[in-house]
Structures are given as C-alpha cells and as structure tokens.
Amino acid sequence: MQKIALIAAIAENNAIGFGNKLIYWLPNDLKRFKELTTGHTIIMGSNTFRSLPKGALPNRRNIVLSRKESSFPGTETFSSLEEALANCNNEDIVYIIGGETLYRAAMPLADYLCLTEVMDTPANADAFFPEFNRREWEVIEEESHPADEKHSHSYRFVTYSRRKD
C-alpha cells in the first residue's frame, strides 16, 4: 500500500522559504534528502520545480503539479495531487517536497513527516510548513546535530509516523 511522506527543513516557527529559496543551506539535510528520495517518486509544485538549480532531480520520478503549464523538462505533470497520486499506485512511498500549498493539501493524507527541525527563527520568511498536532504523530526516528563549520544552526532529523489509534 502506498505511503505518503512530507519532507522539509523547518525553522522553529515552521518557516521553510523566502523568495522561492530555501532558508537554510544545511549540507547534511541535503544529503539526507537525497538518501531518502533517491529511487522514489517526488511530487512538487511548479514554484518548487523552478527553484531547483538544475531542474529535475536525478534518479527519481519527478512529478510537478500545475494547472497552467505542462512543460517542465524531465518531469511528468498533473493538474492535481489526487491525479498525481492515482498515477503512483505501484509506488511504495511518495515524497512531497513542497511548497507550502502542496504541503497543506497533502498533510491530511500523510503517513510520515521527514523533518529537519532547525533551531532558529529566521528574520525573513514567506513560506511555511503547515502546523500539525504533534499528539497525532509519534517520533519513530530522531537524531540531533550541533551547529558546526558547515551548519550555521543546530538541527535535528525527526521522522514522525501518523498514530494509528
């Protein structure tokens, strides 16, 4: 049965972006993102696709949601999340990679949240991960990291699974 995971790096106030760019550049977060999503389907909004420096991400099935455009090189395009998911029936896990509007639409369907929680509140943000009731989720994996020469803030990788009770 298909599972849906939302994956994001979020600040303490749930900020995820500013000016169609990620707020944080955390090499270990990017490495984790690649490890988790490689070999799987990723679904993104058109602005998220445009923010990717080299376009479609390699070694993944890239799906872009857009009602207006249909030309996103190296991707498949669908007009709705429901249509995209219906075309992913054989997938074991599908990753939702942003942006804000797509995260909000997918949150009720999500089985997992794969978050990098950054111990910071940025001065500027215009895109946010949706609030979620932590009582509806259980932590199944957690790993803390201090700030270092490559990471300006401490952070933790947390994987949440939706509670079944």
Side-chain angles (χ1 to χ4, degrees), residues 37-54:
T37 62
T38 294
H40 296 284
T41 295
I42 55 174
I43 300 178
M44 68 196 93
S46 56
N47 286 337
T48 297
F49 177 81
R50 287 187 200 93
S51 76
L52 299 174
K54 297 178 182 174

Side-chain angles (χ1 to χ4, degrees), residues 83-104:
E83 183 185 6
L85 291 172
N87 280 276
C88 296
N89 280 337
N90 299 333
E91 310 287 334
D92 57 338
I93 189 161
V94 174
Y95 287 92
I96 307 295
I97 70 166
E100 178 179 351
T101 302
L102 181 52
Y103 285 136
R104 289 190 190 290

Side-chain angles (χ1 to χ4, degrees), residues 48-117:
T48 297
F49 177 81
R50 287 187 200 93
S51 76
L52 299 174
K54 297 178 182 174
L57 297 176
N59 305 313
R60 299 161 190 90
R61 179 182 179 198
N62 287 247
I63 294 178
V64 176
L65 300 183
S66 177
R67 289 186 196 91
K68 299 173 187 159
E69 294 177 61
S70 60
S71 180
F72 299 94
T75 73
E76 296 170 58
T77 306
F78 296 99
S79 61
S80 71
L81 177 58
E82 294 73 24
E83 183 185 6
L85 291 172
N87 280 276
C88 296
N89 280 337
N90 299 333
E91 310 287 334
D92 57 338
I93 189 161
V94 174
Y95 287 92
I96 307 295
I97 70 166
E100 178 179 351
T101 302
L102 181 52
Y103 285 136
R104 289 190 190 290
M107 181 62 82
L109 307 172
D111 299 290
Y112 301 102
L113 305 177
C114 302
L115 302 179
T116 299
E117 297 178 347

